[in-house]
């Protein structure tokens, strides 16, 4: 059976890798007409190399990428030397998107994907400054300009033509470093995006912690389902395990199960039910005061489930 070009290419590269040497692309492309050495190298580095990771970027990867942008600027070749598990075009695309160097979907549709590289006109400068002073964000201003300029271009231009206190202060900070203006801007922008990302990561961790705390607070160590505490070693416990241990239950369904379970328990089982949650210690009496206390505790459990 004849091999297709992709199979021939993989076979040729693997023959060198199995020997522990770098692929000799000049020899490989001799078997692949209409393919250059450069195309073969790019194909391997960006698509076929098993080391290359594809798919969504994790938050940790994005933080690392932003750190590298702060250090090396938009030198994607040097950044790829550190992030070896990501393809060059993937790193460049993600980095430029984070910095606002690419058009948004709405702007791209409006301008038919054509990014303007023309010199800024006086009319564009006027609209840019006027809309900025009115409080419009850069993405909206770029749509108003209808020239296909991404937010990063608009921001750098704004720092040069706008004399408002904010822009003047930022411009002085960037020029004070003595570096190239675009490089200084890139470092500052990467730092701002990184701080926003870290804030979202902290909020996510706090939200997940709150959910876990709410679930664990009412956990019965003898129950296979953490959300609902059932008296241990009982027929109801075994029946509950068989019915619900394998399937996740929504909070409202979970609460309804708790309500039904408590309704069928006698007062002794109710006391054991609350003991299982370890709320304010065991209930030792069945006086009206204690029954009222149990009712309050169940209301607290109900509110936590619904929240």
């Amino acid at each position: 059976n004849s091999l297709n070009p992709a199979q021939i290419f993989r076979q040729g590269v693997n023959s060198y890798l199995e020997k522990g040497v770098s692929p000799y692309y000049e020899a490989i492309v001799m078997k692949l007409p209409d393919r250059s050495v450069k195309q073969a190298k790019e194909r391997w580095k960006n698509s076929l190399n098993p080391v290359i990771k594809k798919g969504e970027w994790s938050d940790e990867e994005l933080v690392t990428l932003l750190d590298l942008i702060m250090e090396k600027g938009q030198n994607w070749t040097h950044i790829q030397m550190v992030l070896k598990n990501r393809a060059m075009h993937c790193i460049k695309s993600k980095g430029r998107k984070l910095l606002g160097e690419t058009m948004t979907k709405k702007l791209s549709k409006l301008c038919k994907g054509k990014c303007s590289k023309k010199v800024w006109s006086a009319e564009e400068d006027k609209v840019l400054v006027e809309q900025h002073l009115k409080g419009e964000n850069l993405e909206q201003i770029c749509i108003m300009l209808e020239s296909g300029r991404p937010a990063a271009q608009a921001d750098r231009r704004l720092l040069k033509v706008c004399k408002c206190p904010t822009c003047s202060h930022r411009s002085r900070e960037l020029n004070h470093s003595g570096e190239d203006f675009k490089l200084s801007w890139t470092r500052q922008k990467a730092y701002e995006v990184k701080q926003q990302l870290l804030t979202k990561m902290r909020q996510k961790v706090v939200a997940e912690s709150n959910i876990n705390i709410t679930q664990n607070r009412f956990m019965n160590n003898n129950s296979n389902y953490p959300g609902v505490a059932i008296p241990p070693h009982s027929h109801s416990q075994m029946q509950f395990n068989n019915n619900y241990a394998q399937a996740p239950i929504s909070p409202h369904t979970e609460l309804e199960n708790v309500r039904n379970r408590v309704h069928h328990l006698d007062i002794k089982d109710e006391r054991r039910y609350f003991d299982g949650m370890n709320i304010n210690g065991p209930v030792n009496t069945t006086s009206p005061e204690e029954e009222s206390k149990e009712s309050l505790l169940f209301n607290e459990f109900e509110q936590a489930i619904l929240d």
Side-chain angles (χ1 to χ4, degrees):
N1 296 330
S2 60
L3 301 177
N4 60 44
Q7 292 172 329
I8 295 173
F9 179 70
R10 286 194 184 93
Q11 193 178 70
V13 172
N14 289 332
S15 65
Y16 286 95
L17 295 178
E18 289 171 358
K19 299 175 184 178
V21 297
S22 299
Y24 185 58
Y25 294 102
E26 287 78 359
I28 295 173
V29 295
M30 291 178 66
K31 302 177 182 179
L32 298 170
D34 304 326
R35 290 290 183 267
S36 66
V37 173
K38 182 179 179 181
Q39 288 176 325
K41 289 181 178 179
E42 293 298 320
R43 179 66 172 167
W44 175 254
K45 290 181 180 179
N46 294 331
S47 300
L48 302 181
N49 190 344
V51 176
I52 297 299
K53 182 179 178 181
K54 300 178 182 180
E56 293 294 326
W57 289 62
S58 66
D59 291 338
E60 291 73 17
E61 284 182 302
L62 292 177
V63 171
T64 301
L65 176 59
L66 290 167
D67 284 334
L68 291 171
I69 294 175
M70 290 167 59
E71 178 185 348
K72 304 178 184 298
Q74 298 189 46
N75 193 330
W76 310 115
T77 302
H78 288 180
I79 291 176
Q80 202 273 336
M81 293 179 181
V82 180
L83 294 177
K84 296 181 180 180
N85 63 336
R86 287 286 183 177
M88 168 69 77
H89 72 277
C90 186
I91 293 173
K92 183 177 180 180
S93 175
K94 178 60 69 172
R96 286 174 57 81
K97 185 176 180 180
L98 290 172
L99 296 173
E101 296 280 8
T102 56
M103 293 186 291
T104 60
K105 290 183 179 180
K106 187 174 182 179
L107 180 60
S108 179
K109 184 177 180 180
L110 181 66
C111 303
K112 298 180 180 180
K114 297 180 180 179
C115 180
S116 176
K117 296 183 179 180
K118 297 179 181 179
V119 178
W120 285 77
S121 66
E123 183 64 27
E124 284 181 312
D125 287 344
K126 181 180 178 181
V127 173
L128 179 64
V129 174
E130 286 180 350
Q131 296 302 321
H132 169 67
L133 295 176
K134 288 180 180 179
E136 292 287 354
N137 59 54
L138 289 172
E139 287 77 10
Q140 189 63 34
I141 295 175
C142 290
I143 293 174
M144 293 179 183
L145 291 173
E146 296 184 0
S147 57
R149 299 186 187 275
Q153 280 190 27
D155 191 28
R156 288 193 292 268
R157 184 62 179 174
L158 192 64
L159 295 176
K160 293 182 178 180
V161 299
C162 183
K163 304 302 179 184
C164 74
T166 302
C167 292
S168 298
H169 177 69
R170 286 184 62 201
S171 182
R172 284 194 301 270
E173 283 187 337
L174 295 178
N175 292 323
H176 180 71
S177 63
E179 295 179 321
D180 174 71
F181 179 79
K182 185 176 180 179
L183 177 59
S184 298
W185 178 90
T186 298
R187 296 185 195 277
Q188 185 188 73
K189 183 65 176 180
Y191 175 80
E192 292 173 358
V193 175
K194 178 185 174 183
Q195 296 306 310
Q196 294 171 2
L197 178 60
L198 291 175
T199 299
K200 291 181 180 179
M201 290 172 66
R202 294 189 191 99
Q203 292 173 347
K204 182 179 179 180
V205 170
V206 170
E208 291 176 350
S209 299
N210 289 340
I211 293 173
N212 292 334
I213 290 172
T214 303
Q215 291 177 345
N216 292 336
R217 184 178 180 187
F218 302 101
M219 181 184 295
N220 185 330
N221 294 331
N222 295 310
S223 175
N224 288 341
Y225 185 74
V228 183
I230 302 296
H233 312 301
S234 66
H235 174 73
S236 299
Q237 171 69 64
M238 292 183 288
Q239 183 179 0
F240 179 85
N241 290 345
N242 294 332
N243 292 341
Y244 299 102
Q246 303 300 324
I249 304 175
S250 68
H252 289 280
T253 305
E254 177 183 6
L255 180 59
E256 190 62 30
N257 289 336
V258 174
R259 285 174 175 158
N260 293 337
R261 178 67 186 122
V262 172
H263 177 72
H264 293 292
L265 291 174
D266 58 23
I267 191 64
K268 181 178 179 181
D269 280 338
E270 279 194 20
R271 288 166 55 197
R272 294 178 65 190
Y273 175 85
F274 286 102
D275 290 349
M277 290 191 292
N278 293 320
I279 303 177
N280 297 332
V283 182
N284 296 320
T285 66
T286 57
S287 64
E289 292 79 8
E290 291 295 338
E291 293 180 9
S292 176
K293 185 178 180 180
E294 290 177 355
S295 177
L296 291 174
L297 291 175
F298 181 75
N299 290 338
E300 183 181 355
F301 173 74
E302 176 178 342
Q303 188 60 42
I305 291 293
L306 290 176
D307 290 341

